[in-house]
């Protein structure tokens, strides 16, 4: 592959297909796969991801906010789209764009029915979210009565699915908690189904639920990070292929004499002769200040070059004292060999945060080898 001339995020569609196929192989053939493409497809490009996933057979999409779903509809995506965390102010445009809301509280349910009635909707598909322990959003078990009362009065909406979200499906020390969440969801779902008289789809698993809890696959799984190539576990990571690679170039090389300092606040002080490279990516691009002072590193000529001093808004400086390289050479921030999970861990965070932080000003390049 030819080397890059500026900071770019390369998006590899063959890797996306690989991950999709791998995750599919983990679920029963009749289980639907919902692809989570919120937050710009985990920092890549939601439209590019959704178009490719639609082509290879994703059954459903999910986004967090209505605006993200509207952007997908405007790009021509026809697959059903679940909006995980909508607000009443968006309900009208959500209906106009045939997006399906998660209804997660009495207030949200009432508001949605009101707007849908005003827009003369019949059997508009909605999804009921139950809280089983994450305590973030969702109805409580004892809201079943309330939901049924409100739905029985109207044919404005129809429940397409009942769902819940796992709090610690990647953490083997939390198995007991997760199993309790699964059992609690099963119980609430059967109560709902008995009272509704029809059976909506059930879903509870995120990526780590897909990989660790087959008993929680139900009728559909919702996978995000796995599609982008991360399994929250070294075993699964080795089976998946990171879709996004973040690359840049060396803008300039400097040499520091012992005692000289580098960058804002003079955070790095050279103890001996130090060769540094300045790279055009900074905290405004998603490489936060937590990567400063050797918490983060990049790869140059296959060697680790630690970030020294404070991360600037548009630049980082790295130590290349022991690396043979020149201005214009390619720099890898993360790719399939040094993954975003590894880089994130060095600064005490997770792949999700590093990936979704990559700012829109970085050019996306789609590599489609199909
Ligand atoms: C973001 C999200 C997911 C996807 O989680 P991954 O760990 O990325 O697979 C699934 N369900 C809900 C409700 C989410 O908010």
């Amino acid at each position: 592959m030819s080397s890059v001339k500026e900071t770019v995020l390369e998006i590899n569609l063959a890797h996306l297909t690989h991950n999709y196929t791998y995750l599919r192989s983990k679920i029963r053939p009749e289980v639907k796969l919902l692809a989570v493409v919120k937050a710009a497809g985990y920092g890549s490009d939601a439209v590019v991801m959704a178009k490719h996933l639609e082509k290879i057979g994703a059954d459903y999409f999910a986004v967090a906010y209505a605006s993200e779903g509207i952007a997908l509809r405007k790009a021509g995506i026809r697959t059903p789209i679940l909006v995980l965390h909508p607000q009443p102010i968006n309900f009208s445009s959500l209906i106009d764009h045939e997006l399906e809301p998660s209804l997660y509280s009495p207030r949200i349910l009432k508001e949605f029915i009101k707007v849908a009635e005003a827009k003369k909707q019949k059997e508009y598909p909605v999804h009921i979210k139950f809280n089983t322990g994450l305590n973030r959003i969702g109805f409580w078990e004892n809201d079943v009565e309330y939901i049924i009362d409100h739905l029985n009065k109207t044919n404005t909406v129809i429940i397409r699915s009942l769902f819940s979200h796992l709090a610690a499906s990647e953490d083997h020390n939390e198995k007991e908690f997760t199993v309790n969440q699964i059992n609690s969801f099963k119980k609430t779902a059967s109560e709902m189904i008995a009272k509704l008289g029809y059976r909506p789809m059930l879903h509870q698993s995120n990526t780590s639920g897909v990989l660790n809890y087959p008993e929680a696959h139900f009728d559909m799984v919702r996978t995000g990070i796995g599609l982008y190539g991360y399994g929250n576990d070294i075993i699964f990571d080795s089976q998946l292929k990171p879709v996004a690679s973040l690359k840049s170039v060396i803008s300039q090389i400097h040499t520091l004499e012992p005692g000289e300092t580098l960058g804002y606040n003079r955070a790095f002080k050279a103890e001996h002769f130090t060769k540094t490279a300045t790279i055009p990516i900074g905290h405004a691009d998603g490489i936060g200040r937590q990567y400063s002072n050797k918490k983060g590193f990049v790869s140059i000529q296959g060697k680790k070059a630690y970030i020294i001093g404070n991360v600037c808004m548009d630049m980082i400086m790295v130590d290349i004292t022991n690396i043979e390289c020149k201005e214009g050479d390619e720099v890898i921030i993360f790719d399939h060999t040094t993954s975003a999970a590894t880089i994130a861990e060095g600064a005490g965070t997770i792949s999700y945060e590093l990936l979704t932080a990559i700012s829109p000003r970085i050019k996306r390049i789609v590599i489609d080898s199909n």
Side-chain angles (χ1 to χ4, degrees):
M1 203 170 295
S2 66
S3 61
V4 304
K5 308 284 182 228
E6 61 179 335
T7 307
V8 300
L9 189 76
E10 287 181 354
I11 300 169
N12 188 315
L13 295 182
H15 289 187
L16 181 59
T17 302
H18 169 91
N19 300 331
Y20 173 87
T21 308
Y22 178 76
L23 291 160
R24 271 274 184 218
S25 78
K26 295 287 169 190
I27 58 179
R28 303 186 314 279
E30 68 273 21
V31 173
K32 289 185 159 52
L33 189 148
L34 175 152
V36 181
V37 293
K38 64 191 179 190
Y42 287 43
S44 58
D45 181 315
V47 169
V48 169
M49 292 294 122
K51 283 199 166 157
H52 189 72
L53 288 160
E54 187 168 74
K55 195 172 79 189
I56 62 181
D59 300 291
Y60 243 92
F61 290 120
V63 292
Y65 307 139
S67 56
E68 298 178 296
I70 292 168
L72 292 180
R73 285 284 180 254
K74 287 188 170 156
I77 298 297
R78 299 312 315 156
T79 303
I81 301 172
L82 164 57
V83 181
L84 293 166
H85 197 176
Q87 298 300 328
I89 192 171
N90 308 122
F91 285 165
S92 178
S93 60
L94 186 147
I95 291 171
D96 293 340
H97 292 88
E98 295 176 54
L99 304 171
E100 303 177 5
S102 156
L103 304 181
Y104 51 87
S105 71
R107 175 180 72 102
I108 295 298
L109 176 78
K110 265 193 319 214
E111 288 283 333
F112 189 78
I113 292 175
K114 200 166 83 190
V115 174
E117 262 168 9
K119 292 175 82 81
K120 310 232 178 315
Q121 298 299 308
K122 290 275 170 298
E123 305 201 331
Y124 193 89
V126 300
H127 303 257
I128 305 288
K129 169 82 181 282
F130 285 99
N131 170 31
T132 52
L134 184 57
N135 296 332
R136 193 171 69 172
I137 52 173
F139 282 101
W140 292 84
E141 266 172 57
N142 56 15
D143 288 324
V144 167
E145 212 58 50
Y146 177 96
I147 301 166
I148 298 291
D149 279 354
H150 277 74
L151 291 181
N152 279 349
K153 289 197 207 113
T154 174
N155 67 348
T156 311
V157 301
I158 185 160
I159 301 179
R160 184 60 50 83
S161 83
L162 306 173
F163 76 110
S164 185
H165 193 37
L166 298 172
S169 54
E170 71 283 12
D171 187 346
H172 299 294
N173 296 320
E174 295 292 358
K175 199 164 172 127
E176 191 184 331
F177 183 88
T178 305
V179 169
N180 281 338
Q181 277 199 282
I182 297 167
N183 289 336
S184 156
F185 177 59
K186 277 186 189 160
K187 185 167 161 280
T188 310
S190 347
E191 236 180 283
M192 279 290 296
I193 291 164
K195 293 191 164 135
L196 276 174
Y198 61 93
R199 194 184 176 289
M201 290 191 291
L202 308 185
H203 49 109
Q204 189 174 28
S205 285
N206 54 359
T207 298
S208 292
V210 172
L211 300 171
N212 297 324
Y213 294 93
E215 70 271 36
H217 291 178
F218 299 105
D219 303 303
M220 182 158 81
V221 295
R222 305 184 304 272
T223 171
I225 201 77
L227 288 171
Y228 305 102
Y230 296 88
N232 298 330
D233 180 307
I234 48 168
I235 304 284
F236 299 126
D237 282 346
S238 71
Q239 303 295 313
L240 296 163
K241 296 183 179 180
V243 168
S245 298
L246 184 57
K247 301 180 177 180
S248 190
V249 293
I250 297 176
S251 294
Q252 195 179 10
I253 289 174
H254 289 271
T255 51
L256 305 180
E257 299 294 333
E260 283 194 286
T261 61
L262 169 76
Y264 287 129
N265 316 108
R266 307 182 65 203
F268 175 80
K269 189 166 181 200
E271 278 167 17
H272 28 73
F273 171 85
T274 305
K275 194 164 64 143
T276 72
T278 303
I279 299 161
I281 188 165
H283 62 71
D285 300 295
I287 305 300
R289 294 216 355 153
Q290 68 266 41
Y291 295 97
S292 300
N293 302 314
K294 301 192 177 168
K295 292 285 182 355
F297 66 89
V298 301
S299 305
I300 297 172
Q301 303 292 356
K303 291 196 172 144
K304 262 189 194 180
Y306 283 94
I307 297 175
I308 48 178
N310 285 322
V311 170
C312 309
M313 188 183 295
D314 318 300
M315 292 171 231
I316 53 174
M317 285 76 86
V318 300
D319 186 345
I320 53 162
T321 308
N322 298 312
I323 303 175
E324 215 153 296
C325 57
K326 58 182 189 309
E327 294 178 356
D329 279 1
E330 185 173 81
V331 174
I332 308 287
I333 294 112
F334 58 75
D335 68 358
H336 54 282
T337 49
T338 306
S339 82
T342 305
I343 301 295
E345 201 182 340
T349 184
I350 54 174
S351 59
Y352 297 73
E353 185 184 12
L354 177 54
L355 292 171
T356 59
I358 304 308
S359 91
R361 79 173 174 179
I362 291 179
K363 189 166 158 192
R364 270 64 175 165
I365 295 180
V366 178
I367 298 167
D368 188 357
S369 51
N370 297 317

